[in-house]
Structures are given as structure tokens and as C-alpha cells.
Amino acid sequence: MEGAHENPAESSSSVPSSEEPAGSARGPEVLPREESEGCARPLDAAPKKLCGYLSKFGGKGPIRGWKSRWFFYDEKKCHLYYSRTAQDANPLDSIDLSSAVFDCKADAEEGTFEIKTPSRVITLKAATKQVMLYWLQQLQMKRWEFHSSPPAPPAAPATPAANGPTLRLEPEQEEAELEEFLCPVQTPPGLVGVAAALQPAPAMPLALQNISLKHLGTEIQNTMYNIRGNRQAQGTGHGPPGEDPPGSAEPQRDEQPLPSDPGTPGKDPADSPKPTPKSSLTANLIQKAKRQNNTFPLFAEGLTRTRTAQEKVLALEQQVLMLTKELKSQKELVRILHKALEAAQQEKRVSSAYLAAAEDKDRLELVRHKVRQIAELGRRVEALEQERESLVHTAGLREQQLQELQQHVQLLMEKNQAKQQVICKLLEQVTRDFMQPPSQTPVPPGAADRDFLSQQEKMEHLKDDMEAYRTQNRFLNSEIHQVTKIWRRVAEKEKTLLMKCAYLQAKNCQVESKYLAGLRRLQEAAGGKCAELLRQLIQEALQCEAREASAEGVELSPVSEYDEYGFLTVPNYEMEDLKLLAKIQALEVHSHYLLAHEAVERPLRERWAALGDLAPSAELKQLLRAGVPREHRPRVWKWLVHLRVRHLQSPGRYQALLSQGQVRKHPAARQIELDLNRTFPNNKHFTCPTSSFPDKLRRVLLAFSWQNPTIGYCQGLNRLAAIALLVLEEEESAFWCLVAIVETIMPADYYSKTLTSSQVDQRVLQDLLLEKLPRLMAHLGQHRVDLSFLTFNWFLVVFADSLISNILLRVWDAFLYEGTKVIFRYALAIFKYNEEEILRLQDALEIYQYLRFFTKTICNSQKLMHIAFNDMNPFPMKQLRQLRMAHRERLEAELRELEQLKAEYLETRNSQGPAVPEGCTSEDEGEGEA
């Protein structure tokens, strides 16, 4: 029934069991060890245990009130345990300080402070204000030491010399920073530490009031243990040193770890157990001495040791500890090497078994073994994801607590300011009273002195209040400072775990893609029953992801069905072989995204966030080539489009074009309607019946047909406008983006009926391929492969049908700023990216089949960008203009020659007249009859 604010679930879980051998409630836990610090410091600077008596507010009903409790801090768990007295064997409960904040109120009772955890608020009271400040400062330091000195993971062993100084230095730095807010409080003599344990427990008005009815079972256990210990001490006080009375086995087992604690105040580390025959005798003597002390058994041993012996023993203990740590690190290193050797041997055995397998069944069994390994890796990733979610939740709680503390500090500062104003007014009033001339009325003797003393007493009280508020303000500032640093440290840990989780997920995707590729190759090589079995394995692999996600309910950033712009990540092909290739490709894309997210995407996003107002510059050019983050892309594209069409834009122009289309029907309206259903069949925004994107696309294309009557509508414009709609989402913005591409970026006649400029660019690309990739062009020429059937569509729709959306939009980012030169760069880069694969193909049919889908196999956007803007250099715009001019002249000459030949043919045909056989009618007559 104690602790009105306590969480029963937490209390029950945090109370150690009385049957634990190490005795979370025994002496060693009452004053936990400080292994590294206690041995590394001289005797004068030996760390002091944080323990002592405090009053805790709790209980219910008539026994609700202050209860005296013995508090002791456990550094390993960062828990503050408490019991009724220092002699109790089992603690009543504990307070988790790792996620707690501390508060003290100036208007509360003297010595009162609070410990606020996410689940409860514990109100404590110290004997004096100095003791309260000492406890608060020490609790702050203990909490910071716990967060700044986490235990090193076993996978990365380090020597004590490497880790030790860092762990001791950070708390000292934090202590120096906290001194800027609140001066360090000296240790109150006799109220904390060993001296407090030797003192009797504070007496309460009623004995029943100090008993915890909430933890009645623990109270009974402690009482029985104390009674039994007193009886054993009385019955065996004169017995032989080597004998133990019956029933003392359990207490001895619980207290046996005490001699091995070199950091316990008042104990000689020389009593630690050694591998000698006298160890049991020493332990029994210590046990007898403890039982003969009635105040607190933990501190009764070793009070008369000399300082010289203690210094020698501390030095020896320090050497032993350093050697032990070094031995432990060496053992850990040997263990890791053994594991690495075993893993290498296992991999060698698996590879040998796979190569030596005579039948396909054995190889399939090895493949199943790899599947199990993949499943194990998936479980590890899930565990890390759960840990990440826990850290995110903890960080949210810390941030919420920090906001509450800031609000509280703001209120206190306002209250303090109001009180200071009152004090100033009172001082002015006192000054006026003293400066006023004495009145003519007679003043009673002694009245002036009494008024002066009263005013002086009020001023003293106000000064005390001001000092209390100053102290409170300084402490709260130090608390906010430390909680903020802890929150930042937790955020860094969360970021590290996120990066690790992303790395493991990427590796998992890569392993899964290799597994699917292996299945595909086995399927091509196998036949008969094995082929059927492989087909089943492939079907299971294609469907396992959705099944696992639904069964386990854990979100691990799997390969989603659609990307952020609505495109299918795994295209829905009808052929099973293409489905498998699409799945492999999706896994590769996802793994590259995960690996590049923290290393590349996050710094790039930070650079864009810090860019500010957009203006043409070399830095902006480099950022656009690297790609625009999704959250900035609409704003950046609108700015780029406005840069191109500001001389064409006018208010209300788009609405006027739409109104013009409502008055009369455009000749291209029928073709536009037909192409709407063909626009991006792999995008949910254009295939969903309830989507508004098709209607928006129709209006944009109709408005453009009225805007540019020369072109009207050309097949391919629908995909350009669709990309603009997906990014910009607004109809008018997408319309002006289409105008910018067709009328300002692309050359004239690019989308005309003759497509003259498009044909010119295809010839320019052939010249550039011969210059940049001569081996590839020689190979394609040997097999008489014409690339224009593929590249013509690339240029017409700016890769809209060819590249995956993640890479496509990066191409558009640079294209809207730099122009058509970017298309040539990326066209060359795509062939360079896949050059080796094409060179390995030795058949024209295989090459054509590969060229059908090879652009979808490009998943590394960073590599493609590096090829386009670095490996393809030099790439001067002057050369591109000269090539375009030369090929345009040739093309126009060829077209004129064709027109001349056509005219000559028609003239010759007309002069000869039509030759119509008997019984047949001429073509014109047939059409007339029809």
C-alpha cells in the first residue's frame, strides 16, 4: 500500500527474489561495486557508495504519510533500491533512474524532491537541504555515468587501456559542466554512505506507519531473516572458528561474494577469496564477525585496517584487475577467431559438397539449407527492428519529459520574476518609511523598533525565498542540460541502430536475389521432376514475402508493391521467367536504396534543406545532378519550369485554354482519349478507376493542344505530362512543365509530324556512341543491330518508359535545368553501364531480347550518375551543336532528294497514264463506287 504513484507491475517486476543466490537484496547489492573506478584511484579519492536514509511519501488511508527508508544505488542496473532498514536482506522495491528526471520545488517542505519516471512519481525527503542537494547531484552523475559508459559489445573486444580512460573522463567532464549551474555539495557527514549505515534508523511516531503493507511478504522475510541471524549469533558466538551452526548455509551463500568487493567502504580487499586452503576459514571468520555486530553487518569488517596495507592491497588489486581484463580480451579475441575459422571451414565444406554432389537432390538440399540461413538472418533483422522501435519510444518519452521540464522552468522563472518585483516594491516602501520626516503625533516608545524588526524579518524571509528559488533554478537548468545530452546520445544510438538495420536488410535482399538467381539458373539446367520442384520453389519464393509479413506482423521495410510515386516495383509480367527477373531486380533496387539511404540520401537531404532560396549556380547544378529529395522536388520543379516559361506565362491562361476546349472539340481529342488508357499501365494512379489523375491528364493535354496548334498532340506527350502530374500534382503546374519541355527545352520540330529534330538526335547519338564506346558499336555492327528502334523512344519521352522511377526522376531533375544534353549523357551512360553484358552476347536475337528490358536492370543510381557526368567527359555543348547542325543539313538534303524523286515519279506516272487491265476499274472508280 506504499507509494500512491507507484506502478504495481513495475514494483513486482523490479523487486529481486529472496531466493536468488547473488542476492539482489543481500549485502553486495546494498552497496554495489565500482570495479574499475575503485581500483584505479588512490585511497583518498576512492569512490563513495551512494546510500543513506530518506523519507518516502506513500501508503493509503490512515497510514498514508512519510516512511523512513534505506536507499542504495546499483550502478550496474542504474536502479535505486530501498528497504526499511540497512540490515534488511531483501529490498522492498527499486526505482529505474535510466529514464527518470529529478525535480525540487522551492515552495515545498525543506529537503523534499521528486524522482519522475515514465510510470510513476516518487516523492522523497532528506533530513536537510544540503543532503537533498547532495542526493540530487549524485543521482544526476550516476545517471550520466550509466548512459555515457555502456558495456562494450562482445563482438568488438578492446583492451582496458583503450576503453578505461574514456569511460572515466566523460563523467568528469559532465561534472565540470554541471558545476557551471550548481556548485558541488560536500558530502554531509554521518547522513550518507558508510556513516549513515552505522547510525540507527530514524524513529517514526508509529511503528506500524513505517511498515510497507504493499510489500508485506518482503517485510516478513526480512524480519524472519533478522531473527534467525540474531539467534545464530547468540548460539555460536563461542564456537570454533571453522564450524557453522545449522541453518546458516543460506545466509553464508548469499553473503559470500562480499569479500570479493574491493570497492566496499570499510572492507579490506585482502579478504577477497583466493585459491588457497584458508579461503573457507577466512570466509567463516568474516561471517562470525558480521553476526556479532548489531548495527549493520556489511560495514563491521575491516574498520581497524591500516592505511599502508590498504594502499598496497589496492595496488595489487589494480594489477590483478588489469591482467584479468587483458586475459579476458585475449580470450574473446581467440573465441572470435575460432568462430571465423569455423565459419570459413563450414563455407568451404558447403561449397565442396555442392561441387561434389552427383545428383540434383543433394544440390537442392544445399539450397534449402541456404533458405534456412536466410530465414535466420531475417529473424535477426526483426529483432533489431524491435529494438529500434523501443529506442524510438524511449526517445519520445524523453522528449516529452524535456518539454514538461521546460514549461515548468518557464513557470518558475515567471514566478521568480514576480516575487522579485514584490521585493523591490517592499524595499521602496521601507526606504520611503525611513526617509519620511517624523510626524508630530507622539509615537509610543518601542513602536519604531518593533516596526523596523518586523520589516527586517520580512526582508530576511524574502531573501531566503530568493535564495531557494535561485537554487531551484540552477538545479533545474542543470537537469535540463543533462537530460538534453542524454536525449541526444539516445538519438545517436537510434541512428546507429537504424543504419545497422538498413545494412542487414540490404544484405538480406542481396542474399535473397542471389538465391532467386540461383534457382533460375538451376531451372534452366534441370529437367523432369527436378524442374517441377524448382518451379514450386520459385513460386514459394515469389509469394513468401507477403505471407511472412501477414503472419508475423513485423514491418521490416520489405519490397513494397508500389513505390512512392505509384509505380509497380515488381512488374506484373505474364511469363514466369520475366516475373522471376522482375523480382530479382526489385530486390537489387531495394538493397541499393537501403545501403545508400544513410550514406548518401541523408547528407543530400541535409544539403537541400540548408540551400534556402533557389538561384542558378554551380552548387545548384551539382545538387540537381545528384537528385532532388522527394519533399523538395515539387518546389524545385516549379522553380525550374518558371525559369523556362516566365515569358510565356500569364494569369488565367490555363483556364482560358480549358474554356476554349469546352466551346468546340479539338481534332486531337479522339487520339488523346485513346492514349489515356495506355499511359503508364504499371502505375496505380492511372489504372485505378477512382483516381483523378486520368481526368487531370486529359485536361492538360487538351489545353496544350490549344496552346500549340502547330503540334496539337503527338504520341509521347501523354507520358511527359503524366510524369509532371505525378510530381507536381497540380494541373496548371503540369501544363506549364509540358510547355517548357516541348517549346523551350527540346529543339523545334521535335514533336512535329516529320519528327525532324528527333531523327537528327538519333544520328548524333550514333556518332557519340562511336566516339565514346567504340568496342560496343563494333560488336553491334558485327551483328547488324540497329539501336534507333530503342533510343528513339528514349529521347521522345525522356526515358519515361525505360528507367525505374527512382532513377528516372533524377534524370529529369538535371534535364529540366541543363536541357537535352542530359539525355545524351544518360543514353551513353546506360550503354556503358551494361556494356560488358552486351559484349558477352554473340547472337543478334539474344541482343535484341536483352535490349528489350536491359534498362530495367539498372538499379545503382549513383553509379549511373557517375558514368553520365564523369566518365563521359569531355562533353562540350559546342560539339553537340555542330553535330546537330551537320546532321540536320544532311537529313534535309535527303528529304529534298526524296521529295524530288517522288515528284519525278508522279510526273512520269501521270504522263504515261494509268494502265488498267480489261475487266477492272481504276482505283478512283472503285473508290467512287464504294
Side-chain angles (χ1 to χ4, degrees):
M1 298 178 65
E2 181 179 357
H5 302 285
E6 296 176 5
N7 187 358
E10 179 181 336
S11 300
S12 60
S13 62
S14 59
V15 177
S17 173
S18 61
E19 298 178 1
E20 292 177 359
S24 59
R26 287 274 180 252
E29 287 294 323
V30 174
L31 293 177
R33 293 181 297 174
E34 295 182 18
E35 298 174 354
S36 60
E37 296 181 5
C39 296
R41 300 179 183 179
L43 185 64
D44 293 340
K48 298 178 181 179
K49 301 297 180 181
L50 182 58
C51 57
Y53 280 103
L54 292 172
S55 296
K56 178 178 178 295
F57 190 81
K60 291 183 179 180
I63 60 171
R64 180 175 177 81
W66 296 103
K67 302 176 185 293
S68 175
R69 294 288 179 261
W70 169 259
F71 286 84
F72 49 92
Y73 175 72
D74 183 358
E75 293 188 357
K76 294 181 180 179
K77 300 180 180 179
C78 195
H79 277 216
L80 186 66
Y81 289 92
Y82 59 88
S83 57
R84 189 157 53 90
T85 63
Q87 291 79 15
D88 287 347
N90 298 317
L92 298 175
D93 202 353
S94 66
I95 305 170
D96 184 6
L97 300 182
S98 61
S99 57
V101 293
F102 313 114
D103 186 19
C104 66
K105 294 181 171 59
D107 53 354
E109 190 175 353
E110 183 180 0
T112 304
F113 62 98
E114 292 180 348
I115 301 178
K116 299 180 179 180
T117 66
S119 58
R120 56 177 178 164
V121 178
I122 300 93
T123 305
L124 304 176
K125 183 172 68 172
T128 62
K129 180 181 178 181
Q130 182 186 9
V131 177
M132 177 196 73
L133 293 177
Y134 175 82
W135 272 95
L136 288 172
Q137 284 188 341
Q138 290 299 316
L139 290 175
Q140 280 186 330
M141 290 304 304
K142 298 298 182 184
R143 181 184 60 189
W144 175 253
E145 290 175 4
F146 177 78
H147 283 284
S148 62
S149 305
T159 59
N163 288 342
T166 303
L167 298 181
R168 287 192 296 270
L169 183 61
E170 288 190 359
E172 293 175 1
Q173 292 177 347
E174 178 65 14
E175 186 175 359
E177 291 180 359
L178 291 179
E179 288 180 8
E180 298 178 2
F181 298 99
L182 192 64
C183 296
V185 181
Q186 296 182 354
T187 306
L191 296 177
V192 294
V194 180
L198 298 176
Q199 299 293 330
M204 300 300 294
L206 295 175
L208 182 62
Q209 184 180 356
N210 203 35
I211 295 176
S212 174
L213 298 181
K214 181 179 180 181
H215 309 96
L216 190 59
T218 306
E219 290 276 14
I220 295 174
Q221 289 179 5
N222 291 334
T223 304
M224 296 301 296
Y225 179 78
N226 292 332
I227 294 174
R228 184 174 57 185
N230 292 333
R231 288 180 178 177
Q232 290 173 358
Q234 292 175 3
T236 60
H238 303 283
E243 298 179 2
D244 280 335
S248 63
E250 182 180 355
Q252 182 178 347
R253 184 184 70 244
D254 291 338
E255 296 181 1
Q256 195 170 355
L258 278 173
S260 64
D261 185 3
T264 305
K267 292 193 66 63
D268 191 350
D271 290 337
S272 58
K274 304 289 190 301
T276 62
K278 297 182 181 180
S279 59
S280 60
L281 178 61
T282 305
N284 290 331
L285 290 174
I286 294 173
Q287 187 72 21
K288 301 296 182 182
K290 289 178 180 178
R291 294 197 187 103
Q292 291 174 2
N293 194 311
N294 292 328
T295 55
F296 191 52
L298 180 65
F299 303 101
E301 184 65 23
L303 294 176
T304 59
R305 302 289 183 181
T306 61
R307 179 173 177 177
T308 305
Q310 287 180 345
E311 291 178 351
K312 291 180 180 179
V313 171
L314 285 174
L316 291 174
E317 286 291 339
Q318 182 178 1
Q319 295 179 2
V320 170
L321 182 63
M322 292 178 63
L323 291 174
T324 303
K325 288 185 177 180
E326 185 175 0
L327 178 61
K328 184 177 179 182
S329 64
Q330 294 296 331
K331 287 181 178 180
E332 186 67 24
L333 179 61
V334 171
R335 186 179 67 83
I336 292 173
L337 291 175
H338 274 298
K339 286 186 176 181
L341 181 60
E342 290 174 2
Q345 291 176 350
Q346 179 67 19
E347 187 70 20
K348 182 179 178 181
R349 286 195 293 270
V350 171
S351 301
S352 301
Y354 186 86
L355 294 174
E359 297 181 1
D360 290 334
K361 289 184 178 179
D362 299 332
R363 294 186 177 181
L364 287 176
E365 184 62 26
L366 293 174
V367 171
R368 292 192 183 96
H369 179 66
K370 288 296 181 182
V371 173
R372 290 192 290 269
Q373 290 182 350
I374 292 172
E376 180 64 25
L377 184 60
R379 287 192 290 272
R380 287 175 55 194
V381 172
E382 292 166 7
L384 286 172
E385 185 66 22
Q386 292 176 354
E387 185 178 356
R388 182 191 70 81
E389 291 176 357
S390 176
L391 286 175
V392 170
H393 178 67
T394 305
L397 293 175
R398 293 283 171 80
E399 189 172 0
Q400 184 178 0
Q401 293 171 4
L402 182 62
Q403 292 176 356
E404 293 177 356
L405 281 175
Q406 290 176 345
Q407 294 176 358
H408 186 58
V409 169
Q410 183 65 26
L411 292 175
L412 289 176
M413 292 177 64
E414 293 175 358
K415 188 175 181 181
N416 190 16
Q417 185 177 3
K419 289 193 174 184
Q420 288 179 355
Q421 293 176 357
V422 172
I423 292 171
C424 293
K425 291 180 179 179
L426 290 174
L427 287 174
E428 292 176 358
Q429 183 177 356
V430 171
T431 305
R432 286 197 301 270
D433 292 342
F434 278 106
M435 295 299 295
Q436 286 178 356
S439 59
Q440 300 298 327
T441 57
V443 180
D449 295 338
R450 286 195 299 271
D451 292 341
F452 177 76
L453 292 175
S454 176
Q455 294 291 340
Q456 190 174 10
E457 184 178 357
K458 289 181 180 179
M459 289 180 63
E460 292 295 332
H461 284 308
L462 290 174
K463 288 180 181 179
D464 292 341
D465 290 342
M466 286 180 61
E467 185 62 30
Y469 279 111
R470 285 198 190 99
T471 303
Q472 180 188 10
N473 190 27
R474 287 195 294 266
F475 169 75
L476 291 177
N477 288 336
S478 67
E479 179 70 8
I480 292 172
H481 170 75
Q482 191 181 85
V483 169
T484 304
K485 293 186 68 175
I486 292 174
W487 177 82
R488 289 174 180 169
R489 185 176 291 271
V490 171
E492 292 175 359
K493 290 180 180 178
E494 180 189 2
K495 181 180 177 181
T496 304
L497 283 176
L498 284 173
M499 294 179 64
K500 187 176 181 181
C501 184
Y503 176 78
L504 289 176
Q505 289 183 29
K507 289 297 181 184
N508 188 25
C509 290
Q510 292 177 358
V511 171
E512 190 175 350
S513 66
K514 290 177 182 177
Y515 165 67
L516 292 176
L519 287 180
R520 180 171 175 268
R521 292 179 182 176
L522 286 174
Q523 187 183 28
E524 293 175 354
K529 296 182 179 179
C530 293
E532 182 64 26
L533 182 59
L534 284 170
R535 191 176 296 108
Q536 293 178 2
L537 288 174
I538 290 173
Q539 290 294 334
E540 291 177 0
L542 292 175
Q543 300 172 1
C544 68
E545 185 177 352
R547 184 167 61 251
E548 289 178 359
S550 61
E552 299 178 6
V554 180
E555 296 183 2
L556 291 175
S557 299
V559 180
S560 58
E561 184 179 3
Y562 296 96
D563 64 10
E564 54 189 3
Y565 288 99
F567 289 95
L568 277 171
T569 54
V570 183
N572 189 17
Y573 295 120
E574 295 181 359
M575 296 177 60
E576 185 175 331
D577 192 35
L578 291 179
K579 283 184 178 179
L580 186 58
L581 287 175
K583 177 70 173 181
I584 294 172
Q585 175 63 18
L587 289 170
E588 289 293 330
V589 171
H590 193 57
S591 66
H592 279 287
Y593 167 76
L594 291 172
L595 289 175
H597 180 68
E598 293 295 332
V600 179
E601 297 297 329
R602 188 182 294 273
L604 181 64
R605 190 175 289 109
E606 292 174 355
R607 289 182 63 188
W608 274 104
L611 187 61
D613 295 335
L614 298 174
S617 63
E619 181 187 7
L620 179 63
K621 182 178 180 180
Q622 295 300 322
L623 285 175
L624 288 170
R625 288 181 173 185
V628 184
R630 188 192 179 193
E631 59 269 22
H632 299 287
R633 185 167 279 137
R635 175 177 65 92
V636 174
W637 279 28
K638 288 179 182 178
W639 179 81
L640 292 172
V641 169
H642 177 71
L643 208 63
R644 297 276 184 180
V645 298
R646 54 190 171 188
H647 62 285
L648 300 174
Q649 282 180 323
S650 59
R653 174 64 176 168
Y654 178 68
Q655 296 299 329
L657 293 172
L658 291 179
S659 302
Q660 187 176 353
Q662 293 175 357
V663 175
R664 59 192 179 114
K665 187 176 181 180
H666 195 278
R670 182 173 177 275
Q671 186 61 42
I672 291 173
E673 202 65 34
L674 290 175
D675 285 350
L676 285 179
N677 296 326
R678 305 171 188 168
T679 304
F680 293 139
N682 61 338
N683 190 291
K684 64 180 181 181
H685 295 301
F686 293 98
T687 55
C688 180
T690 59
S691 175
S692 61
F693 276 81
D695 295 333
K696 292 181 180 179
L697 181 60
R698 179 189 297 109
R699 290 191 289 269
V700 169
L701 294 175
L702 286 173
F704 179 81
S705 63
W706 290 108
Q707 163 75 11
N708 193 329
T710 305
I711 297 175
Y713 174 75
C714 174
Q715 286 186 346
L717 297 181
N718 58 325
R719 280 161 285 183
L720 296 177
I723 293 294
L725 267 176
L726 289 173
V727 175
L728 300 172
E729 296 183 356
E730 299 176 1
E731 290 182 36
E732 186 170 358
S733 299
F735 165 75
W736 288 114
C737 182
L738 183 61
V739 172
I741 294 172
V742 176
E743 299 187 8
T744 65
I745 298 178
M746 292 297 194
D749 299 333
Y750 217 87
Y751 298 96
S752 63
K753 294 180 180 180
T754 59
L755 299 175
T756 305
S757 297
S758 300
Q759 297 182 57
V760 169
D761 278 356
Q762 295 307 303
R763 300 188 180 192
V764 173
L765 179 63
Q766 293 290 327
D767 289 352
L768 293 175
L769 283 170
L770 286 170
E771 177 188 348
K772 304 290 185 181
L773 303 173
R775 288 176 59 230
L776 178 64
M777 292 304 294
H779 179 72
L780 295 175
Q782 181 182 356
H783 295 282
R784 298 182 180 180
V785 175
D786 183 15
L787 295 178
S788 61
F789 86 97
L790 176 72
T791 57
F792 191 85
N793 189 57
W794 290 2
F795 281 69
L796 202 63
V797 299
V798 195
F799 303 102
D801 291 330
S802 307
L803 299 173
I804 60 175
S805 62
N806 182 35
I807 300 178
L808 170 66
L809 296 176
R810 291 174 184 266
V811 175
W812 278 55
D813 292 337
F815 163 72
L816 291 175
Y817 185 71
E818 299 184 50
T820 55
K821 185 178 177 180
V822 172
I823 306 180
F824 285 99
R825 282 186 176 274
Y826 272 101
L828 295 171
I830 288 172
F831 285 110
K832 180 65 176 178
Y833 191 99
N834 297 274
E835 182 179 15
E836 298 301 326
E837 292 291 335
I838 299 174
L839 290 175
R840 278 196 286 268
L841 302 175
Q842 298 300 325
D843 182 73
L845 182 59
E846 290 183 354
I847 294 175
Y848 275 115
Q849 288 179 347
Y850 179 74
L851 293 178
R852 283 174 52 204
F853 63 87
F854 84 114
T855 55
K856 295 292 185 180
T857 64
I858 300 174
C859 53
N860 193 341
S861 61
Q862 296 299 319
K863 179 181 176 182
L864 185 67
M865 182 194 70
H866 186 271
I867 295 174
F869 295 107
N870 292 278
D871 296 353
M872 293 298 108
N873 288 335
F875 202 92
M877 191 65 189
K878 181 179 179 181
Q879 178 190 10
L880 187 60
R881 293 195 191 97
Q882 291 174 351
L883 288 173
R884 276 178 165 170
M885 189 180 300
H887 283 292
R888 176 176 283 274
E889 291 177 357
R890 295 195 193 104
L891 181 61
E892 289 176 350
E894 292 173 3
L895 291 175
R896 285 194 299 270
E897 184 177 354
L898 286 173
E899 289 293 332
Q900 185 177 357
L901 290 173
K902 182 179 178 182
E904 291 176 357
Y905 169 74
L906 292 175
E907 184 179 354
T908 304
R909 183 180 177 184
N910 292 333
S911 62
Q912 294 177 354
V916 182
E918 294 183 6
C920 297
T921 59
S922 65
E923 184 177 347
D924 295 338
E925 292 174 354
E927 290 181 357
E929 293 175 359

